[in-house]
Amino acid sequence: IEWIPIIAKEKIEEWAVWNATGGVITFDGDYTVHTFNSGGTFELTGSDIDVTILVVAGGGGGGSNYGGGGGGAGGVIYNLSYNLSVGSYTVIIGAGGTGGVALSGYGSQGGNSSFGDLIAVGGGYGGQWVDTAGAGDGGSGGGGGSRANCANPIGEGIVGQGYDGGCGRGDLASAYGAGGGGGAGAVGDAGDGTNGGRSEERSVGKA
């Protein structure tokens, strides 16, 4: 997102309509792309502009052991025409959640990512297979752990950022069929009592 006149192969900075710095800068046709793989600062000078912006949070960790639900995808904010004012913007990149490690341990929620005031919420953690152990809410919700008749609560996604996790349809005897985590494009699939569910983004419950 930069336009600086070039004369005789030299950029004339003082004639720039706008100029942006920050992140890893690449070019795609007529577009200048600023990519942040870690936290930093984006700075715009010159004039306000309309930009395409994508902010993705960290995905949630899956539930532990057999029958643990899949973690939800990190929340997604995608705007094709976002008006950006001159100034500096803090960028935060959320880390992925960790999976559960104990027999009935929960994973952790993914970290939030943000660009200025735009906040994508981390994905919810996957549920456990034990009684009434719910999955975590987040940008997309975690999948429910194995439990007959979808008895374990699923994690709920945030409207506009993701979708709910799928429910687990296994039973405690087999502990199969946990729900898949929700994705940016679809609700997580429910387990079928034998296999774990998955979402459109391939967030797969354990089976």
Side-chain angles (χ1 to χ4, degrees), residues 47-62:
S47 64
D48 299 353
I49 55 173
D50 290 333
V51 301
T52 296
I53 190 164
L54 172 67
V55 184
V56 182

Side-chain angles (χ1 to χ4, degrees), residues 151-182:
N152 283 342
I154 63 170
E156 296 183 354
I158 295 174
V159 175
Q161 293 198 20
Y163 288 82
D164 297 346
C167 71
R169 286 182 175 155
D171 57 43
L172 289 179
S174 65
Y176 290 132

Side-chain angles (χ1 to χ4, degrees), residues 114-203:
S114 61
F115 179 91
D117 293 334
L118 297 176
I119 302 174
V121 178
Y125 54 81
Q128 302 177 24
W129 63 271
V130 297
D131 281 345
T132 66
D137 301 333
S140 285
S146 295
R147 184 66 175 160
N149 301 315
C150 293
N152 283 342
I154 63 170
E156 296 183 354
I158 295 174
V159 175
Q161 293 198 20
Y163 288 82
D164 297 346
C167 71
R169 286 182 175 155
D171 57 43
L172 289 179
S174 65
Y176 290 132
V187 173
D189 287 346
D192 62 11
T194 302
N195 299 302
R198 70 183 184 188
S199 76
E200 181 179 328
E201 276 64 40
R202 307 289 185 179
S203 181

Side-chain angles (χ1 to χ4, degrees), residues 7-106:
I7 298 178
K9 298 183 179 180
E10 295 292 330
K11 287 186 176 182
I12 313 300
E13 298 280 351
E14 58 268 27
W15 291 359
V17 176
W18 64 76
N19 185 39
T21 59
V24 177
I25 300 175
T26 56
F27 301 93
D28 183 4
D30 294 332
Y31 295 92
T32 303
V33 182
H34 294 251
T35 302
F36 288 84
N37 297 311
S38 59
T41 301
F42 177 89
E43 185 169 6
L44 175 66
T45 58
S47 64
D48 299 353
I49 55 173
D50 290 333
V51 301
T52 296
I53 190 164
L54 172 67
V55 184
V56 182
S64 69
N65 212 276
Y66 47 82
V76 175
I77 296 174
Y78 182 50
N79 192 323
L80 288 169
S81 184
Y82 182 77
N83 185 257
L84 203 60
S85 300
V86 169
S88 295
Y89 297 82
T90 298
V91 177
I92 297 173
I93 305 300
T98 57
V101 294
L103 177 62
S104 301
Y106 287 107

